[in-house]
Amino acid sequence: MLTPVQILQKHWGYASFRPGQQEIITSVLKGHDTLALLPTGGGKSICYQVPALALEGVTIVVSPLIALMKDQVQQLQVRGIVADALYSGMRKSDIDRILDNAVYGNLKLLYLSPERLQTDLARERVSRMPLSLIAVDEAHCISQWGYDFRPPYLEIARIRELQPEVPIIAVTATATPEVVEDIQQHLSFKEGHELFQKSFERKNLNYVVRETADKGSQLIRLLKNVPGSSIVYVRSRRKTTEIAQALGRFHFKAAAYHAGLEPDERDKRQADWIEDRIRVMVATNAFGMGIDKPDVRSVVHWELPDSPEAYFQEAGRAGRDGEDAYALLMYQDRDAELMLKRHQQTYPEVEEIRRVYRALGSYLQLAVGAGKMESFDFQLDQFAKTYSLDRLLVYYSLRALEKAGYLLLSDAIHQPARLRFLTTKEQLYDYQLKNPQLNKLLKSILRTSQGAFSEPVRLREGNLANFLGLTQERLQTTFKKLAGEGIIEYYPTKDTPQITLLTERLEAENLDLDIKNYHFRRDRDRQRIEVMIGYATQNHCRSLQLLQYFGEEKNETCGQCDVCRSKQKRSFDPPAYNDYYDKLQGWLAKEPELPIENIKQRLTQSQANIMGRMLNHWVEEGKIEVVNGYVRNKK
């Protein structure tokens, strides 16, 4: 049996754990219920993936985001770890097969959404699994005090009734004290449970707010002064394209990223950014989750985020390597007005929510009492147009129904084409002899898709069509013909948004909408927006504001955010400022690229502290640049 460190080295190639990981893993392996609060980039997934491989049996991982589940499963499979995922919109035969593999096969990690756990099928199979661990990712979703409450998370503790001896680990990057308490309570943590909480302080991350009417110029200035990879977060898909194209005109290699792109194009752009072929990714807020790129030097928010939790997670994707990085928030007075107006739209009147739900039942052609745990392709714009409803009203009404536990709305889920042979090998050979025009196609599938006689295998239809000299439409028509003749079972490529009903369809009047909780969440969201407006407008240390929001009792300012630097700069008299600058220039004249550590060694401790602050000022002023720990004059 390998030790945790040996498992880490074998599958991830790391010689040692990051700070805090070893203690968390030890707690899990001792069988203790464990809550781990690690900031973005702290390696949360390792804390349950390594124990999953160290323990006998299957680990269930509950995660709210389909894209994140699929990405983690893919990464595990590349490392030779047997993992799979269940989520809404999957074919019933695939769900049945994956659950069977968890019960009878060698599956080590099974990712699934909290909604999937509510089904009778999943609960029956979970009761028979050789379960070793339950992991709850994004655990803050279990709390109504949290910023992303998901009612199905409240049902996770019911798994413990099926296998009460199995320990549970919950992980999250952001949680206020109230949320920490909720997580432990709602997951029924047992006596002797352990809480591991790293400070939310990021000493290498420089928080900056710029109040400006010209956000484009501010962005260009940052990118010129701070070399390296960058993420720019915006709210709309249209804006991602506009800003990426504008950056291109200034000779920055930039790309747009959002859910509306074709899956292959999204994957290509993400890979180009990770491999530094693209410097700037202009993206909607889903980008960056689960991506391990430690050398991001700046994260820019074009608009005010909805909450401190969201901002902390997204800004925290910068500087995971411990080197200096920047989190820039650009702000205008009208941003606050738009946020408050959007908040009003986010919480429609209850009668409007019932109206949308009634129209949804008609749109899906469902009888009252039908549809529980069924998934449907769903085009929101088409639905709104069909019933003459405002698009935003529809969207936020569906989100309100999601928060109430009636449905799940998801972005487009890419499911590649799959195929399984229904014949024996001998029967297929006879069919090939009688249909020689299909011989090359069938041989290609047999050569590239092992196991196609026992279970559905994935097809890369585009690659296969190119190899055969066919259009993809012609290839799909051929597959449908083979399916019609009983030769194959064929599932075409699917890439459409999904809506999943978590309960049977009800009469709209019978919706049990908890008005008290609805108003509670509305008021909490309003408070978060007000905290973010305060963060952007108050003349207080940015880092300290965030730390205090997350319940850390700390009074010492960071010394490096824009507020702290501004106060420090005012405290420097011009002679001292010039003296330090002249000193640096004298050193750079002899050594054009000077290591920061070398600079510190030439000074006393107090002088080194002042010089460190000066270096940050000179970077902002565009006089120097710091690259990979070396200082040099700006070219």
Side-chain angles (χ1 to χ4, degrees):
M1 181 69 72
L2 297 178
T3 66
V5 172
Q6 289 170 331
I7 290 171
L8 182 74
Q9 193 157 18
K10 176 182 176 182
H11 292 286
W12 283 270
Y14 302 139
S16 61
F17 289 103
R18 294 180 186 177
Q21 288 180 327
Q22 181 82 65
E23 294 83 356
I24 295 166
I25 290 168
T26 299
S27 171
V28 173
L29 293 178
K30 286 180 178 178
H32 297 161
D33 289 342
T34 305
L35 173 56
L37 275 70
L38 295 173
T40 300
K44 295 181 293 296
S45 57
I46 289 287
C47 294
Y48 56 78
Q49 290 171 345
V50 167
L53 299 180
L55 296 166
E56 294 291 333
V58 181
T59 290
I60 282 179
V61 184
V62 184
S63 176
L65 297 169
I66 293 172
L68 188 58
M69 280 195 284
K70 293 175 72 174
D71 183 64
Q72 289 206 2
V73 166
Q74 186 177 2
Q75 289 183 28
L76 289 168
Q77 290 173 345
V78 166
R79 292 184 168 95
I81 298 167
V82 185
D84 220 325
L86 294 178
Y87 42 84
S88 59
M90 289 184 71
R91 305 172 184 99
K92 290 181 180 179
S93 59
D94 286 339
I95 292 170
D96 199 54
R97 173 179 54 80
I98 292 169
L99 286 172
D100 266 356
N101 285 343
V103 175
Y104 303 112
N106 61 343
L107 196 65
K108 290 301 296 179
L109 290 109
L110 173 61
Y111 285 74
L112 72 176
S113 65
E115 293 80 14
R116 181 59 53 188
L117 278 177
Q118 293 179 286
T119 65
D120 292 337
L121 175 63
R123 288 178 57 79
E124 188 274 328
R125 299 293 176 85
V126 168
S127 68
R128 295 194 283 125
M129 287 179 195
L131 201 59
S132 59
L133 180 64
I134 301 163
V136 181
D137 204 357
E138 307 295 337
H140 58 268
C141 293
I142 205 168
S143 174
Q144 292 204 60
W145 289 94
Y147 73 106
D148 193 20
F149 174 58
R150 292 278 290 269
Y153 261 69
L154 295 170
E155 301 296 318
I156 295 173
R158 293 181 63 195
I159 309 179
R160 313 202 77 170
E161 300 168 7
L162 304 174
Q163 300 214 31
E165 299 306 314
V166 175
I168 193 164
I169 174 173
V171 297
T172 182
T174 51
T176 60
E178 300 96 332
V179 173
V180 169
E181 189 64 34
D182 264 6
I183 291 170
Q184 295 172 87
Q185 178 184 340
H186 290 314
L187 290 176
S188 303
F189 270 32
K190 297 177 183 176
E191 189 175 345
H193 65 265
E194 298 199 53
L195 168 63
F196 297 89
Q197 182 169 357
K198 285 185 66 177
S199 171
F200 286 96
E201 187 174 18
R202 292 286 305 279
K203 292 186 177 180
N204 67 311
L205 190 53
N206 300 273
Y207 293 104
V208 179
V209 175
R210 288 286 180 260
E211 188 169 352
T212 175
D214 187 355
K215 294 184 178 183
S217 294
Q218 284 289 338
L219 177 58
I220 296 296
R221 183 180 176 186
L222 174 91
L223 294 174
K224 285 182 176 178
N225 288 336
V226 181
S229 291
S230 181
I231 307 173
V232 180
Y233 283 114
V234 299
R235 287 190 179 277
S236 72
R237 296 178 182 182
R238 175 180 56 81
K239 204 74 175 173
T240 64
T241 303
E242 288 178 359
I243 295 174
Q245 290 175 346
L247 289 174
R249 290 193 289 272
F250 282 87
H251 309 293
F252 293 104
K253 291 183 178 179
Y257 185 101
H258 55 75
L261 296 170
E262 290 295 323
D264 288 347
E265 183 60 26
R266 283 203 304 269
D267 291 345
K268 180 181 181 302
R269 293 185 188 188
Q270 178 174 301
D272 284 346
W273 180 74
I274 289 172
E275 298 298 326
D276 294 323
R277 291 186 289 272
I278 289 173
R279 180 184 169 193
V280 185
M281 188 66 85
V282 188
T284 49
N285 63 1
F287 179 76
M289 295 195 72
I291 297 175
D292 186 16
K293 184 171 174 58
D295 60 346
V296 178
R297 298 273 65 87
S298 61
V299 169
V300 179
H301 281 80
W302 190 266
E303 295 113 340
L304 202 64
D306 293 325
S307 69
E309 291 93 339
Y311 181 66
F312 184 80
Q313 280 210 25
E314 292 158 12
R317 288 167 189 154
R320 292 184 183 183
D321 55 5
E323 299 293 330
D324 268 357
Y326 289 82
L328 170 64
L329 169 61
M330 294 192 285
Y331 178 76
Q332 297 173 352
D333 284 339
R334 65 187 299 269
D335 290 347
E337 296 171 15
L338 290 172
M339 285 278 287
L340 294 171
K341 181 179 179 182
R342 189 181 299 112
H343 176 261
Q344 288 180 323
Q345 296 173 322
T346 303
Y347 288 89
E349 295 298 324
V350 170
E351 283 310 309
E352 294 289 355
I353 297 172
R354 294 188 194 278
R355 179 183 166 206
V356 170
Y357 182 82
R358 191 180 296 112
L360 180 65
S362 300
Y363 181 76
L364 299 178
Q365 298 184 335
L366 279 175
V368 172
K372 183 176 180 178
M373 290 311 298
E374 289 188 39
S375 297
F376 305 87
D377 293 346
F378 182 73
Q379 298 289 353
L380 190 147
D381 289 336
Q382 183 187 67
F383 170 71
K385 185 176 181 181
T386 300
Y387 293 93
S388 302
L389 295 167
D390 178 75
R391 186 187 185 282
L392 285 177
L393 171 67
V394 169
Y395 177 78
Y396 289 120
S397 294
L398 292 175
R399 286 301 183 198
L401 289 164
E402 185 175 56
K403 297 289 187 187
Y406 286 104
L407 55 82
L408 177 65
L409 184 67
S410 64
D411 284 330
I413 305 167
H414 179 67
Q415 297 185 48
R418 299 169 82 94
L419 173 150
R420 179 170 71 95
F421 287 112
L422 299 176
T423 64
T424 65
K425 291 182 180 180
E426 291 75 17
Q427 289 170 332
L428 182 63
Y429 180 69
D430 289 340
Y431 183 82
Q432 287 176 265
L433 292 176
K434 294 175 183 176
N435 298 273
Q437 74 279 11
L438 298 175
N439 194 44
K440 186 177 180 181
L441 167 62
L442 294 170
K443 279 186 175 180
S444 298
I445 297 169
L446 290 168
R447 186 171 59 251
T448 58
S449 304
Q450 302 297 320
F453 285 93
S454 57
E455 62 182 39
V457 294
R458 294 184 180 184
L459 293 173
R460 293 185 176 273
E461 290 185 317
N463 293 349
L464 186 57
N466 288 337
F467 173 71
L468 297 171
L470 303 172
T471 64
Q472 195 162 331
E473 291 75 15
R474 175 69 183 276
L475 179 64
Q476 290 171 339
T477 299
T478 303
F479 282 144
K480 289 172 184 176
K481 176 178 178 295
L482 288 166
E485 294 178 358
I487 304 301
I488 63 171
E489 185 178 57
Y490 172 59
Y491 304 102
T493 299
K494 191 175 186 181
D495 191 17
T496 55
Q498 297 274 304
I499 197 163
T500 302
L501 298 188
L502 303 179
T503 68
E504 67 278 3
R505 182 193 170 185
L506 304 171
E507 294 286 1
E509 293 71 23
N510 294 334
L511 285 174
D512 184 15
L513 298 171
D514 189 328
I515 305 303
K516 184 178 178 180
N517 278 340
Y518 186 63
H519 289 164
F520 172 80
R521 292 196 301 273
R522 179 196 63 192
D523 295 344
R524 284 289 295 167
D525 282 353
R526 169 90 185 205
Q527 289 171 16
R528 291 188 184 92
I529 291 170
E530 289 171 349
V531 169
M532 283 309 305
I533 294 172
Y535 172 86
T537 57
Q538 293 174 7
N539 195 34
H540 300 315
C541 171
R542 311 289 183 197
S543 178
L544 203 55
Q545 288 187 62
L546 291 172
L547 294 177
Q548 289 173 347
Y549 176 82
F550 289 115
E552 287 197 33
E553 295 180 4
K554 186 176 175 65
N555 296 312
E556 184 182 348
T557 57
C558 72
Q560 61 193 31
C561 72
D562 62 310
V563 173
C564 290
R565 287 181 186 173
S566 176
K567 292 177 180 178
Q568 291 163 359
K569 196 170 185 178
R570 288 197 296 271
S571 70
F572 296 144
D573 56 62
Y577 184 88
N578 294 333
D579 181 54
Y580 276 93
Y581 188 70
D582 291 343
K583 191 185 295 285
L584 176 67
Q585 289 304 315
W587 294 335
L588 290 175
K590 298 176 182 177
E591 193 173 348
E593 292 198 354
L594 192 61
I596 289 179
E597 288 302 317
N598 190 307
I599 293 174
K600 292 178 180 177
Q601 290 168 6
R602 302 181 186 196
L603 302 166
T604 66
Q605 184 62 54
S606 61
Q607 289 173 332
N609 290 338
I610 295 172
M611 179 64 88
R613 297 198 296 270
M614 292 285 196
L615 290 174
N616 287 327
H617 293 320
W618 296 327
V619 167
E620 284 193 349
E621 291 171 354
K623 292 182 177 180
I624 64 170
E625 59 186 4
V626 179
V627 182
N628 298 325
Y630 285 80
V631 177
R632 64 192 184 199
N633 279 318
K634 187 75 174 176
K635 296 175 181 178

